[in-house]
Each structure stands twice: as C-alpha cells, then as structure tokens.
Amino acid sequence: MSRHLIVAVGAASALALAAVPAAAQAPGPTLRFKERNKGGTFKFIDNPPRARRGRPTAGDMFVFSNPLVSATGARRGTLRATCTFASTRAALCYGVFSLKEGQLVAIVSTNNLDARTTRGAIVGGTGVYEDARGALTSTTTKTGSDDTVTLSG
C-alpha cells in the first residue's frame, strides 16, 4: 500500500470520526421558563478589599435563587446560582435549574452584568437531563427573566 493511500485513508477515517460528534450535537429539545424575582432571594457578599461607592471588587460574590414558572404561570422549579466578580462589572456564575424531572447545571461568564441578554452553557444535569449539554439564553424582563435552554442532541 502506498504511503499516500495510507495517509488518505487515515485522513478520511479521522474526518468520519470527527463527523460523529458533530451529528450527535444537533439541536435537541428546547425548554422555556420564566424566572420570577418575586419570591426570590439575593445576597451580596463583600469580600476584602471592601467595595467602595457600591462598586464590587474582584472576589466579591452574590448568590440568588428565583422561582421558575412556565409560560402559563405553573410552577416549574427553582434557579439557584452563585456569581463571583472578576472585576467591577465582569463575573463568572454557576447555577442549577432544579426542575421536577431533574437538574440542569449552567455556567455563565459575562463582562456586563447590566446586559439585557445573558448567554451561557449547559454543562451537565441529573434525572432526565443526565449528561445534558447545550446553551442558555436569559433575557431580563420587568418581573425577572425569560430563559431558553436549548439542549444538544
């Protein structure tokens, strides 16, 4: 067998294997729910050095929980999250959407906590969401946020 043929077969095999994960990550189910500020909790943790003029410093945190409801207002679960400031406006947040059928774990990194829309990643889950992967979009509303989770494959 010629060296060029071996390289070509190897490249074709690698492309075929690479296509399998891409196909497996086709868009899956989409979940939509509303976060309600009413009934939620919020706590700011001011770690040293102390925040000045209401501006957080790197290492400060906030934790919150918000009830989740469906479009019809039926209770769906709770979002619980912890966010750590990397600078005055940038933060890294870890959250868990606790739903009746399981949990979804999300990570969000943002450079602007005042942005109307925040995007993040779904990196795992439990129950029917075991091994979940996907994307999260959260858009601020007057009463909380509208969240869309699009799961892959």
Side-chain angles (χ1 to χ4, degrees):
M1 198 178 271
S2 80
R3 182 175 179 195
H4 294 289
L5 183 58
I6 292 172
V7 170
V9 169
S13 298
L15 286 173
L17 289 174
V20 171
Q25 294 190 14
T30 299
L31 307 171
R32 289 185 173 80
F33 26 80
K34 297 177 179 292
E35 283 179 57
R36 292 290 176 236
N37 292 338
K38 184 178 182 180
T41 63
F42 180 89
K43 172 82 172 150
F44 178 75
I45 299 131
D46 189 4
N47 290 314
R50 296 289 178 215
R52 295 182 188 190
R53 295 183 216 138
R55 301 186 80 176
T57 57
D60 287 348
M61 304 171 74
F62 64 92
V63 295
F64 69 93
S65 68
N66 283 333
L68 301 172
V69 298
S70 68
T72 62
R75 178 83 174 176
R76 285 283 285 128
T78 304
L79 168 63
R80 294 177 185 90
T82 301
C83 299
T84 304
F85 285 91
S87 68
T88 303
R89 299 182 57 83
L92 179 62
C93 301
Y94 298 91
V96 176
F97 292 90
S98 295
L99 307 168
K100 293 175 186 171
E101 56 276 359
Q103 297 179 332
L104 290 165
V105 179
I107 296 178
V108 173
S109 178
T110 180
N111 290 321
N112 182 1
L113 286 168
D114 295 325
R116 184 165 186 270
T117 300
T118 304
R119 289 176 172 55
I122 300 297
V123 296
T126 64
V128 300
Y129 305 116
E130 189 170 332
D131 297 325
R133 299 287 182 267
L136 162 69
T137 302
S138 183
T139 304
T140 303
T141 65
K142 290 181 181 180
T143 58
S145 299
D146 289 340
D147 297 339
T148 303
V149 172
T150 304
L151 300 176
S152 301

